Amino acid sequence: ILIADEPTTALDVTIQAQILELIKDLTLQLNTAVILITHDLGVVSGMCTNICVMYAGRIVERAPTDALFARPRHPYTQGLIRSVPRLDSSTKDRLFSIPGTPPSLIDIPECCPFHPRCAHVMEVCRQKYPDDTDLGGGHRVSCWLFTNGGGRA
């Protein structure tokens, strides 16, 4: 397993492409898997077959890449994808930003840590962490919107 933690951060586009090509070549030559840790959704979409989205140290959504980008289910994943700049938008359009601030990683709550920032927050979100729910096709999400007892599936 090759673990690459932010391998292209702060690199220009040419060097970034060279690094990603090197990673692809190594995985083929060594017949190994890659765990790519990054905030760059463009890199993820071009390199990965499966994605795990993490928030406050926990996986909140996992899915095959195409499924995740086609239909993100967790509100945090939706916010991440909405925040990516688009070439087809007007230069007057403001970039989307997820409201609020991330929780302290020193004292992560027992409930859903995304609830203060979530547009779909329910009372149960403030009380306990949701179970991991299988949505089919390898798509899983930890959100009360999709967990029995949460309400809106």
Side-chain angles (χ1 to χ4, degrees):
I1 296 176
L2 171 62
I3 300 173
D5 189 354
E6 296 284 0
T8 60
T9 298
L11 299 178
D12 68 59
V13 179
T14 305
I15 301 299
Q16 181 182 45
Q18 292 173 356
I19 295 293
L20 294 175
E21 193 61 36
L22 177 62
I23 291 172
K24 284 180 183 178
D25 290 346
L26 283 171
T27 60
L28 291 173
Q29 288 174 17
L30 302 173
N31 193 29
T32 188
V34 176
I35 296 175
L36 183 62
I37 302 165
T38 184
H39 290 87
D40 189 330
L41 294 177
V43 168
V44 167
S45 69
M47 289 283 295
C48 301
T49 55
N50 293 286
I51 299 175
C52 291
V53 176
M54 296 184 74
Y55 187 80
R58 295 180 103 161
I59 296 173
V60 295
E61 186 165 6
R62 71 186 88 189
T65 301
D66 291 342
L68 187 113
F69 281 103
R71 193 165 181 210
R73 305 307 289 272
H74 195 280
Y76 178 63
T77 307
Q78 293 168 357
L80 284 178
I81 292 172
R82 274 188 69 199
S83 69
V84 175
R86 295 180 51 105
L87 294 175
D88 61 351
S89 67
S90 167
T91 56
K92 296 176 188 174
D93 294 340
R94 293 185 59 108
L95 292 175
F96 176 77
S97 174
I98 299 171
T101 57
S104 166
L105 297 180
I106 295 171
D107 188 26
I108 298 174
E110 294 293 320
C111 60
C112 176
F114 190 65
H115 84 270
R117 305 175 76 187
C118 184
H120 307 285
V121 66
M122 298 176 279
E123 189 54 39
V124 68
C125 305
R126 295 178 178 94
Q127 295 170 359
K128 57 185 176 176
Y129 195 83
D131 292 332
D132 186 49
T133 302
D134 185 354
L135 302 176
H139 202 149
R140 303 184 71 82
V141 66
S142 294
C143 180
W144 285 109
L145 292 172
F146 304 97
T147 301
N148 287 340
R152 304 177 293 225

